[in-house]
Amino acid sequence: MAFHWTAIPRFIPQLLAGAQLTLLITLAAMALGIAIGAAMAAGRVSRFRVLRLLAGLYVEFIRNTPALLQIFILFFGMPSLGLRMSAVTAGSIALGLNASAYLAEIFRAGLNGVPAGSREAAIALSFSRLHMLAYVTTPLAMRAAWPAFCNLVISILLASSLLSAISVYELTGITNDISTKTFLTFEVYSIAALFYVALNIAVSLLLALTGRLLFPPQSR
């Protein structure tokens, strides 16, 4: 069996465009996920039982259904209710909702991990509830949650490949299209795999740098 690697360079611009869309979808999904996840985390730790129950039901429903099914519900199911979205929009929202359930638990764990002594010190210094949240609870919670947050970003980036099932031309969608038209299956999927590796390494390095800037090492 002969491989035709020399044909691959002419498809690099298309793969780069797909990789760019993959990053944009990941960014949009994480932005939505952070907003909803923070709200759900607040609900999960609320002193109001109804809020805890509603947030818990949301988190459990999202976490116990496949991401692909969530994508199909938004893209194929919502038009039945009169709400039509583009494939990119529906897919980004679906991934954002999926990320929000996991972020809710990540943020909740971070909040629960804040030492009681830190809160007591803030109260002793006459911090208001808002100031304590802004200057004590949130920074300490985010420091604890950052590694899990970074792992989720990578998971959502990889999960964006599921959008190829609704004809979104992100990296996997572009790869499928090129493979179908050229039959260079092994070659083009191998290059796409390298693209994913490069994207993951680049995003991981960026997140690591951001973590160092936001959460400098604590002196002992």
Side-chain angles (χ1 to χ4, degrees):
M1 179 180 292
F3 295 110
H4 301 86
W5 295 104
T6 55
I8 293 299
R10 74 174 187 266
F11 301 116
I12 295 299
Q14 293 173 268
L15 293 170
L16 286 171
Q20 182 180 23
L21 183 56
T22 291
L23 288 174
L24 290 175
I25 289 170
T26 303
L27 181 61
M30 288 305 301
L32 178 62
I34 290 170
I36 299 177
M40 292 299 108
R44 294 280 271 171
V45 299
S46 171
R47 65 177 182 270
F48 299 107
R49 184 177 180 183
V50 173
L51 291 180
R52 294 199 306 272
L53 177 62
L54 291 176
L57 288 174
Y58 173 86
V59 169
E60 291 305 314
F61 176 79
I62 296 294
R63 292 205 307 168
N64 287 286
T65 53
L68 185 59
L69 179 62
Q70 296 161 15
I71 293 168
F72 284 169
I73 288 174
L74 284 181
F75 185 63
F76 295 118
M78 295 308 288
S80 301
L81 302 177
L83 181 58
R84 297 183 180 276
M85 294 176 280
S86 69
V88 172
T89 300
S92 299
I93 292 174
L95 289 179
L97 294 175
N98 186 268
S100 70
Y102 293 93
L103 284 170
E105 292 301 280
I106 290 171
F107 293 157
R108 182 171 73 98
L111 289 170
N112 289 337
V114 174
S118 297
R119 294 193 181 94
E120 292 168 359
I123 293 171
L125 293 171
S126 300
F127 277 33
S128 68
R129 181 179 293 273
L130 183 61
H131 284 160
M132 183 166 65
L133 179 66
Y135 298 112
V136 178
T137 307
T138 299
L140 291 175
M142 285 306 302
R143 177 187 288 272
W146 187 252
F149 174 85
C150 294
N151 288 336
L152 184 65
V153 173
I154 298 301
S155 295
I156 293 299
L157 189 152
L158 294 176
S160 67
S161 62
L162 295 173
L163 303 193
S164 61
I166 56 172
S167 300
V168 173
Y169 287 105
E170 41 67 63
L171 183 53
T172 297
I174 285 287
T175 304
N176 290 340
D177 187 59
I178 295 171
S179 175
T180 300
K181 291 177 178 177
T182 65
F183 300 102
L184 299 174
T185 305
F186 180 82
E187 295 91 333
V188 108
Y189 281 112
S190 296
I191 296 301
L194 294 178
F195 267 76
Y196 275 112
V197 171
L199 285 176
N200 285 336
I201 290 174
V203 171
S204 296
L205 290 175
L206 179 60
L207 290 170
L209 178 60
T210 303
R212 284 182 173 275
L213 293 175
L214 292 176
F215 313 112
Q218 295 175 320
S219 57
R220 294 182 179 275

